[in-house]
Amino acid sequence: MQIGLCDPHSLVGPRRQRRDCNQESCDWCGAHQADQPKTANSFKSVGSSTERGPRGMLLLLLRLVNMADQNKTGTEGKLFSEILSPSELFAARSRSHKIPVRGQKDFFPNDSDEQRQRLEQSLNEHWSLTSEERVERLGNLVKAVWIPSDQIVELQSPAGKFWQTMGFSANGKQYLLPEEALYLMECGNVQVFYRDLPLSIQDGYERFLSSATVTLQQYQVFGHLKRLGYVVHRFDPSSEPSSYARQLNLPQSRDRAGRQLKRKRSPSPTATCSYTEAQVESTIEKMEEDKCSLEGDDAKKLAASPDIQTATTSGADEGRSWWMTDDLGASDKELHHSPTSGSSRWDFSSIPFPDVGSSERHPSCLAPPEPSLLPGDLTVGVCDIASWRRKINLRMVKMSSKEQKREKDTRRRRWDVNKDREVRRCRNWAEYHELLARRQRKRKGRPAHLWNREVTPLHDPKQPISTGELLDKISVIKSTHLLEGASRLKGSEQWRICFNVYQPDTVADFKKSNPGKPYSRMCVCSFDGPVPDLRAIKLLAFQSGDIPVVFAVVDHGDISFYTFKDFQLPTDVFP
Amino acid sequence: MQAEFRAPRRRTRVQEEYEAPLPVSLRPEERSLFRAELINQHVLVRDLEQIQKIHNQGFFGKGVLSRARPDHSISDQWEEHEGLFLPLVSQARYEELLRWAGATLSAQGLDEEAVNQTLLQLSQPIGTEDLRGEGQMMNGQEGPGPEDGASPCTERAWPEGGASPCTERAGPEGGASPCTERANPNPDSDSFSDSDSEPGPGPGSGSGSLVPGPGFVLVVSDSEAAVQIREVRRTPLSLSEYLQLSLEEAFFLVYGLGCLSVHMHQEPLSIVQLWRKFRSLHPDFVSSYAAYHHFRSRGWVPKEGGGAKYGVNLMLYRKGPPFYHASYSVVIERADDAFEGSALHPFSWRSLAALSRITANVSKELMLCYVVYPTDQSEAELDSPECLSRLKVQEVIVGRWVSSRERAEQDDI
């Protein structure tokens, strides 16, 4: 055994590390890099932890079985301690797969021997279960390398099935995020190397999780959700469209690689005006570079798009005002706004505008408009309006006969001021005011202490008024919604959205390049920490847009999820 | 993302007629001006008819001697006797009441003979014809000291010289409608309480029988014979029940609807005076009133008293407690313009989780109601109810999400 040439077989430290042999063929390790996937009998231990699945654990203990080097068993046995001998493998494979049964719960300790024995036995069973080593086929393990400078894991052998929902490609190589790598390590799918040594699970926890990547609590939530089958991606606030861009309905282009490698971890998003402008600028760049399609069936948006173009040109051309289009002779609010190209005015009677709100059956997709209607060199694709239509169309309320009768009664009882003869006799407003003042004075029983002071009641009970009108009259307190005023809130370090979560059912046709809208977004907090106040709720709601935000509260491994949702109490009027 | 609105759950046994959403009638001829007294930091309404109106139309207030609605009566059993609907009292109980009346009278300094005379006079059986014949009675509402609602009827009768000791409803025509109302006191109280007390006598009296007022009882002699003699007597000691309004409810009736006047030491209070008085009694009156006013102006019925039962400020009912189960438990918080602020109920995750669980166990939804104050509001502004128009209310529903797949498929977040 010579140190320096090929020394893959010396053990370093108590953590059972093994230097990988990069030689194509080596007398010492029977496994060849090229042959690894095909070798049927190479197994490696990957530590022990719990994993999804009914059994909860992989129970195969792996070792490299070197059939050809039986004569070296003596030295090998001391050195390759993770590699299983055939008998060990057989023992591991034929281990019982049963989960220990947990009988009925005892509700209080009764200091009896029998109870103590039962509890001890149960605890021992669980302990042995969790301390079992897991066995994995070496051929199944995807090799990867940890790159601390980028805090990223680079795959060195082709990825497996997990590639469908995890990882990203960049510069022709495949990468995994640290939390994904750690999760796959725990599952037994990936073996991550650092300086040519495989990392243990403990190493993984220590190195991959940090405040720069993903904290331990966030990882616990990540693992919990992944084991239930959800697809969990990191939330990137800068790739979320601002509310303005959302109005324009630009299609999303996911660029996970760019985010991770090119950009260092960006600071918390500041939802200030400048940020919004920057967002618009970046979307504008995307528009002009990628020739994305713009939603074109709304005149307002048509007017908006020339404004965007002028914005970029104004950026380049100093001294031009934002309202340059006004100088062209048409305001951007009016329909007959002429585009900057200076073409003649349109005849709107001949341009069909789709009626999105009609109750007839409409196809849920709108065909693109004529290219002649669009400014510049924009191309518009087919627009999916299903979500819009759902918001617009209201159902006809069918009233029961009782309710219809009530409606008729109120309509009959509605007091029409014009039916009053005295009112009809008034010839002008001044006389009407006099009449009202006279009536006011005639009105008896108005308590002076209420009505003749600085503040009077909101309603005079002498006035006949329907309940609905009364409720409107006394509604002096306005209700507000979460997004109101949220745009001026600065981001906080404490409350951040960490993950996007997608439904487990969508895994089959999940595309990393276009995952679609997430099911929810996660914000991870500690159970010992503070509860989000209104400010935090508003901030996160604004960042998230129309996706609900779920707070994952971590209490030493136990996770509970809470939502704080916007609500407006509907008005309830009983006639 | 908006929370979904869940329809309120109707109660299974609803025996109450819905009168009106608010005690302000649509017909201007009807009087809807009520009077309340501010006594020892409580707002009390004493007139029986006003109590009925205020409570039945909008479910304001709580009877001081009852669980919720003011339905205290001297007996749980009412019976019809010769065309009159009267509470039933056993002979022993009647004599007990007589003794208490006597004790009160002698405590007031009357000598023993005068007391016995009065008691004898009081316990004469009354012919039902006399009762029915009695038309318009004096509506004396000069009650004795309001510290305790109990008073021997004779004391009231004293200055009037033996006239009908307690207030009487008007003639048969006016008596008809309160009669049918009062004819259902026990079924109402039973439909209210979720315990299964036996249902009282049904409203079988119809509109024909007269309820002669709280001054009369039907006394059953404890004879062993099969037929028990029933006699109509005067009530020696009656407890008149008041309606207690919370500060927010009282202020809403005064300011929002203009139908209540609050008097303190016989002096009517103006709106600003009332506002300042209430603010001095409750430091957070502005926030709690703003939330109350907001829910009332949405047509819902907010009830206090959720604190002791569910750990929250208000319970929201649709239409009223007898009709629907409460839909929301509301915790009122305040926030300033930057949406931060000292919380009225500082929550930890532990307390929030506990509250959320309790609320879910009683099938309600936990709502946090944030009252947002503008930053430039001075103390002077807060001293007048006009500041309400600058406040805003934000409602947030707190819910739990279960991550395991079976649950997540059933209900979305």
Side-chain angles (χ1 to χ4, degrees), chain A residues 224-225 228 230 413 445 447 449-451 453-467 470-471 474-482 484-486 488-489 495 503-505 519-520 522 525-535 537-538 545-548 550-551 553 560-572 574-575, chain B residues 1-5 18 21-22 24-26 28 32-33 252 254-261 268-273 290 293-300 316 318-319 328 335 337-340 347-350 352-353 356 367-368 370 372 384-386 388-389 391-405 408-409 411-413:
Chain A
H224 173 93
L225 290 172
L228 289 169
Y230 293 94
R413 273 200 256 141
H449 61 272
L450 289 182
W451 292 97
R453 302 290 173 86
E454 325 68 74
V455 180
T456 58
L458 295 173
H459 170 68
D460 184 2
K462 295 271 182 282
Q463 278 178 15
I465 193 174
S466 72
T467 314
L470 176 60
L471 291 183
I474 61 177
S475 300
V476 288
I477 302 181
K478 294 174 272 296
S479 86
T480 173
H481 53 99
L482 277 185
E484 190 177 313
R488 58 182 157 86
L489 293 174
W495 300 106
Q503 285 265 30
D505 313 323
Y519 176 63
S520 70
M522 286 285 151
C525 41
S526 159
F527 192 67
D528 304 315
V531 174
D533 55 359
L534 183 63
R535 187 171 182 281
I537 300 173
K538 279 174 118 64
D546 50 356
I547 314 281
V550 178
F551 290 83
V553 186
S560 324
F561 299 93
Y562 288 94
T563 57
F564 292 82
K565 282 200 203 162
D566 200 0
F567 186 65
Q568 263 89 48
L569 194 67
T571 307
D572 184 28
F574 256 76
Chain B
M1 178 80 177
Q2 280 267 350
E4 248 181 52
F5 172 68
Y18 184 65
L22 293 168
V24 180
S25 71
L26 297 176
S32 30
L33 208 53
F252 179 74
V254 174
Y255 176 61
L257 300 183
C259 62
L260 182 74
S261 300
L269 294 173
S270 80
I271 290 185
V272 181
Q273 285 175 323
H293 190 104
H294 170 78
F295 292 126
R296 274 286 178 189
S297 59
R298 290 273 182 272
W300 291 70
L316 283 190
R318 185 190 186 211
K319 261 174 106 179
Y328 299 98
D337 217 21
F339 308 116
E340 290 166 314
F347 273 120
S348 67
W349 277 115
R350 185 167 279 122
L352 185 70
S356 170
M367 183 198 289
L368 302 179
Y370 290 93
V372 182
S384 149
E386 313 251 278
L388 289 174
S389 51
L391 300 181
K392 295 207 190 131
V393 161
Q394 166 75 56
E395 295 142 318
V396 173
I397 298 259
V398 180
R400 252 184 94 225
W401 179 61
V402 184
S403 54
S404 55
R405 284 191 61 178
E409 274 165 21
D411 36 37
D412 284 322
I413 294 184

Side-chain angles (χ1 to χ4, degrees), chain B residues 101-114:
Chain B
T104 321
L105 286 176
S106 32
Q108 284 165 5
L110 288 167
D111 62 337
E112 199 177 322
E113 201 184 307

Side-chain angles (χ1 to χ4, degrees), chain A residues 224-287:
Chain A
H224 173 93
L225 290 172
K226 288 240 39 120
R227 279 180 209 116
L228 289 169
Y230 293 94
V231 176
V232 186
H233 285 164
R234 271 200 204 169
F235 175 73
D236 183 13
S238 54
S239 71
E240 287 306 309
S242 69
S243 57
Y244 177 61
R246 254 180 253 135
Q247 276 179 346
L248 298 177
N249 203 21
L250 294 171
Q252 302 303 311
S253 63
R254 301 272 303 168
D255 193 11
R256 293 182 85 208
R259 299 283 164 263
Q260 303 312 324
L261 284 189
K262 288 180 202 161
R263 234 183 263 192
K264 286 267 171 65
R265 181 156 186 75
S266 50
S268 318
T270 51
T272 54
C273 297
S274 55
Y275 162 69
T276 326
E277 277 172 352
Q279 196 49 50
V280 173
E281 304 281 23
S282 60
T283 47
I284 296 163
E285 287 159 27
K286 271 196 200 151
M287 252 175 57

